[in-house]
Amino acid sequence: MNRSNASAGDGANLLALRSHNTALVLGLLRGAGAEGISRLELAEHTGLTPQAVSKITARLRGEGLAAEAGRRASTGGKPRTVLRLVPEAGHAVGVHLDRDELRAVLVDLDGTVVGERCAPLDLGAGAEAVLAGVARAAEELVAEALGPPAARGPGSPGAEGLRTPATEASERSDAPARGERARGERALGERALGGRGPGQQGPGEQASGERASGKRERGERASGEWGPGERASERRVSSAGEGAPLGGAALDAAPTLLGLGVALPGPLDHVRGVLHRVTGFPEWDGYPLRDALERRLGVPVVVDKDTNAAALGLAIGGGGADGGWGGGSFAYLHLGTGLGAGLVFGGGVHRGARTGAGEFGHQVVQLDGPPCTCGARGCIEALSLAAVARGDLAEAARVLGTGAANLAGLLDIDQVLLGGRTVAAAPEAFVQGVGAVLDARARREGGHDGAVPVRLAPGGPRGVAEGAAQLLLAPLFGHGNGG
């Protein structure tokens, strides 16, 4: 049946509204924890009608995402049935690519870590070595924590293969063979990543690698086929098996796996998943990491800066004991092998118009200072790391505090959270040192609100990896800026 453009638009709006409402319900189910929440409470908190809530929860129960958690006494009438989220119905892998280390975690829908891997990594070793390391860690995690798919059987949660819509393009090619199973596998994924398939671009994205058809326009890079610094014209791409996963069969066979979130130093283009001149590793400039990993592993991938991923994890808080940091504003400052910031306003990560916000470490605070790996001189990163290298933690904290004070004065944030391996090695020195600079600034300005508080970020060494997993999970629960 032919429809007008207006009708098609209305249909899209209805689908988006349904997805939004479902995300609201899923978010409340996750927030309620094991105790659960009743349909009446869901209606009260979302503003939806009881009938709409009943339809949504029935669909979620049918998809294995929600289950009864018992009954609760009512003020009148029969006891209310309480529903809870089924955490094991979905999983995501979060990968933190540092300059010298790879850390990967597997988390469930609650954000609980169910598996972890850590291995040495040389980010300058080239694309093949890095992609192989990611694939190995992810496959080991999935095999160990989720086990062979056959072992779970058809009655286990998520056995229908709840998938993100980012697998839809590759599934269409063999849809007749998969039939109803393929449609069931996409149930959960209809609420994540905006319907992008492996290698496909989302709304407003520009092509950054091979298109879904396998064809490339002149000048486009072939995803996964060239290393950092190489151009597509310098390496001929074989047409045999083009578009098929080069590995990752264990991932594609895991029915509850939604995909991978990958976090690494910037700058980079989060929307297209393309790296820019990663500080210290300019050879990565222009590399389509997202498309290369999707092609290799056969599952959806989201790429973001390490600081943004950590900030997202802190803003959401998952279902863990730490909880989220609410709807306020904060700056997460990450001092490890480099220095960067993740900015959160109103509970959402601020990435900027070109997804480049948070390059905190490369603000110049000393003209004609020591050279930085970014090419400038006198950057906060260069000064802080130099102080750390000579064992002067007080000076490193003072420099970091100077940058934090600039940030607080410019953005009027609620608090500063510190993280990264360098901070973790001497947390008190950095929290107190940065706090002292902010206290001095508050005294100069006067007022009654006091200094911006400085705290150690929860999450420890795997905070970035956990946040990377939330890049996949966040959209499912109504946090639209996750992926």
Side-chain angles (χ1 to χ4, degrees):
M1 179 175 63
N2 294 326
R3 297 183 178 181
S4 67
N5 290 336
S7 297
D10 290 343
N13 290 336
L14 288 173
L15 287 174
L17 181 61
R18 169 179 160 176
S19 178
H20 172 71
N21 291 341
T22 302
L24 292 178
V25 172
L26 278 170
L28 289 170
L29 286 171
R30 182 166 75 162
E35 293 183 2
I37 185 171
S38 69
R39 293 177 179 84
L40 180 60
E41 291 171 314
L42 288 171
E44 291 173 349
H45 286 297
T46 60
L48 299 173
T49 65
Q51 293 82 358
V53 169
S54 292
K55 287 182 180 179
I56 292 172
T57 54
R59 187 167 65 250
L60 293 177
R61 290 183 65 188
E63 293 169 355
L65 293 169
E68 289 190 6
R71 294 182 179 275
R72 185 177 299 164
S74 175
T75 55
K78 62 181 182 180
R80 299 174 185 171
T81 299
V82 185
L83 300 174
R84 65 172 179 84
L85 182 72
V86 179
E88 62 270 24
H91 296 85
V93 173
V95 178
H96 179 195
L97 294 177
D98 209 341
R99 292 170 175 84
D100 60 358
E101 180 183 271
L102 181 155
R103 186 178 297 271
V105 297
L106 181 72
V107 306
D108 63 17
L109 293 181
D110 262 343
T112 302
V113 175
V114 297
E116 182 176 2
R117 282 286 186 279
C118 186
L121 174 76
D122 179 4
L123 195 58
E128 178 55 34
V130 173
L131 266 62
V134 172
R136 182 166 54 251
E139 290 170 0
E140 289 177 356
L141 275 176
V142 169
E144 179 181 278
L146 302 184
R152 288 189 294 273
S156 58
E160 290 303 307
L162 303 178
R163 307 288 288 280
T164 74
T167 60
E168 289 183 1
S170 61
E171 286 177 343
R172 289 192 195 105
S173 62
D174 60 354
R178 297 196 180 198
E180 291 299 320
R181 178 178 178 273
R183 285 189 287 274
E185 288 176 342
R186 294 192 294 269
L188 178 59
E190 290 174 358
R191 290 176 286 278
L193 298 183
R196 178 175 58 78
Q200 286 185 319
Q201 282 69 42
E205 295 183 45
Q206 300 176 10
S208 61
E210 290 190 311
R211 303 184 184 277
S213 64
K215 297 180 180 179
R216 295 187 301 278
E217 293 182 356
R218 178 176 297 177
E220 284 188 335
R221 297 175 175 87
S223 300
E225 292 294 334
W226 47 283
E230 294 184 77
R231 300 298 173 189
S233 60
E234 296 173 350
R235 181 173 294 185
R236 189 175 302 278
V237 180
S238 170
S239 60
E242 197 168 274
L246 300 178
L251 302 188
D252 191 42
T256 65
L257 184 66
L258 303 176
L260 277 80
V262 180
L264 70 161
L268 54 81
D269 184 333
H270 162 69
V271 175
R272 297 190 300 144
V274 175
L275 306 187
H276 295 323
R277 293 178 65 86
V278 176
T279 305
F281 300 91
E283 65 270 21
W284 282 100
D285 187 23
Y287 186 74
L289 181 63
R290 183 195 70 191
D291 290 353
L293 281 172
E294 284 185 343
R295 184 169 181 269
R296 184 182 189 103
L297 301 176
V299 297
V301 175
V302 179
V303 174
D304 206 347
K305 292 199 297 186
D306 47 10
T307 50
N308 286 343
L312 176 65
L314 292 168
I316 293 174
D322 291 324
W325 289 90
S329 64
F330 66 83
Y332 168 74
L333 306 184
H334 184 96
L335 181 60
T337 58
L339 174 62
L343 306 175
V344 171
F345 302 116
V349 176
H350 175 72
R351 295 187 175 91
R354 290 170 292 278
T355 73
E359 288 300 314
F360 169 83
H362 300 293
Q363 53 176 307
V364 175
V365 294
Q366 181 181 334
L367 296 178
D368 300 322
C372 180
T373 52
C374 73
R377 302 182 72 91
C379 293
I380 289 182
E381 176 180 303
L383 294 169
S384 295
L385 292 179
V388 171
R390 62 177 181 266
D392 192 350
L393 296 185
E395 174 64 9
R398 188 178 72 87
V399 173
L400 184 59
T402 300
N406 291 342
L407 201 60
L410 181 65
L411 301 176
D412 194 21
I413 53 180
D414 294 327
Q415 60 185 322
V416 172
L417 302 177
L418 303 180
R421 71 170 77 167
T422 303
V423 170
E428 291 186 7
F430 281 98
V431 171
Q432 293 176 6
V434 172
V437 179
L438 288 169
D439 284 341
R441 177 181 178 275
R443 287 195 300 272
R444 290 195 304 271
E445 293 182 345
H448 303 287
D449 294 332
V452 175
V454 179
R455 299 186 175 93
L456 185 67
R462 65 188 189 193
V464 173
E466 290 186 58
Q470 290 295 339
L471 293 169
L472 271 297
L473 298 181
L476 300 176
F477 301 98
H479 297 275
N481 72 347

